[in-house]
Amino acid sequence: MDDITADIALSERPLIVCDVDDVVLQFVGPFQSFLQDHGYRLLPRSFRLHGNIVSAINEQPVDHADVTGLIAGFFDSQERWQVPIAGAAEALQMLSSDADVVFLTAMPTRYFAQRRRLLDSLGFAFPLIATEDAKGPLVARLHASREHKIAFVDDMVHNLHSVGQHKSDCLLVHLPPISEIHRFAPETPDTARRAGDWSEASTLIRDHFGC
Ligand SMILES: [Mg+2]
């Protein structure tokens, strides 16, 4: 199997691995606009999309395969919908003067080109890895035997757990967006630090790196 981390060139500096959806690009809000445009809406009753998307006309739930299709359609047309998270571009630009930044997005690789173009157009010109595999093993491979400090930023608790299990010295930053569906999301684990916005996330990362 090809190692998708092999093409990422890292310098001799600390490393920030950063999620994309709902961390640097808004996801839930734009996805709700996309659903509305297609005659559906999100009815948050738990922290998942499948089972919580309904017809806008009669609130009938959309079946599993159709929800998967809607998510794929959204990723395919993401350049029309997604906008940046406040403060993300500025914060990462500042941090990148002292650290490498790599985006790690949980998205099918067939939408890589769309995401790359969108990130570039918004000033997020950092390397991008797209995968549907667990993030922990991939982050461990990416950092390998490097002795520099490392931080990981994500809105999803299961990704923080995965990276923590495979890279125990990694600073785990939980940066959840404010949205109705995130009220059902798991709490920040004890192993991670919660940040309310990119300013707080930057401070946590700089304290960990000592820069
Ligand atoms: Mg995310």
Side-chain angles (χ1 to χ4, degrees):
M1 191 181 81
D2 288 347
D3 182 356
I4 54 175
T5 67
D7 294 336
I8 307 290
L10 297 175
S11 69
E12 294 300 322
R13 303 188 300 170
L15 174 63
I16 301 165
V17 181
C18 183
D19 179 36
V20 174
D21 284 307
D22 273 338
V23 170
V24 300
L25 297 178
Q26 292 182 32
F27 176 85
V28 169
F31 185 59
Q32 287 175 286
S33 302
F34 169 89
L35 290 175
Q36 194 175 10
D37 201 52
H38 289 75
Y40 303 102
R41 73 186 187 93
L42 181 63
L43 195 58
R45 295 163 292 199
S46 61
F47 191 55
R48 57 200 307 272
L49 297 175
H50 289 90
N52 287 324
I53 293 173
V54 299
S55 160
I57 297 166
N58 56 19
E59 294 207 346
Q60 280 298 303
V62 178
D63 71 32
H64 192 96
D66 288 343
V67 171
T68 301
L70 284 167
I71 296 168
F74 178 76
F75 280 137
D76 194 30
S77 61
Q78 60 186 277
E79 291 161 279
R80 192 180 148 201
W81 300 99
Q82 290 192 273
V83 293
I85 294 276
E90 299 81 357
L92 287 171
Q93 207 57 51
M94 295 278 283
L95 288 163
S96 71
S97 58
D98 296 300
D100 286 347
V101 177
V102 174
F103 289 130
L104 177 52
T105 188
M107 183 191 73
T109 54
R110 61 186 175 279
Y111 308 115
F112 186 97
Q114 290 93 319
R115 178 137 292 184
R116 180 73 272 167
R117 281 195 302 266
L118 179 57
L119 289 170
D120 286 344
S121 74
L122 296 170
F124 296 109
F126 304 109
L128 171 66
I129 299 170
T131 182
E132 294 178 277
D133 294 338
K135 291 192 174 183
L138 197 145
V139 170
R141 276 207 308 282
L142 182 66
H143 202 51
S145 57
R146 289 158 44 85
E147 292 185 351
H148 300 285
K149 297 225 168 161
I150 176 168
F152 174 71
V153 188
D154 207 294
D155 64 309
M156 293 289 196
V157 164
H158 69 269
N159 290 329
L160 299 170
H161 280 309
S162 175
V163 172
Q165 279 167 4
H166 289 84
K167 204 75 196 131
S168 58
D169 57 345
C170 182
L171 171 71
L172 305 174
V173 179
H174 188 205
L175 182 54
I178 297 167
S179 84
E180 204 183 338
I181 198 167
H182 278 79
R183 289 190 291 113
F184 299 96
E187 291 291 313
T188 305
D190 291 343
T191 51
R193 301 291 304 274
R194 186 184 181 97
D197 57 25
W198 264 104
S199 171
E200 289 183 20
S202 295
T203 301
L204 290 171
I205 292 167
R206 285 201 177 277
D207 284 353
H208 182 67
F209 289 170
C211 66

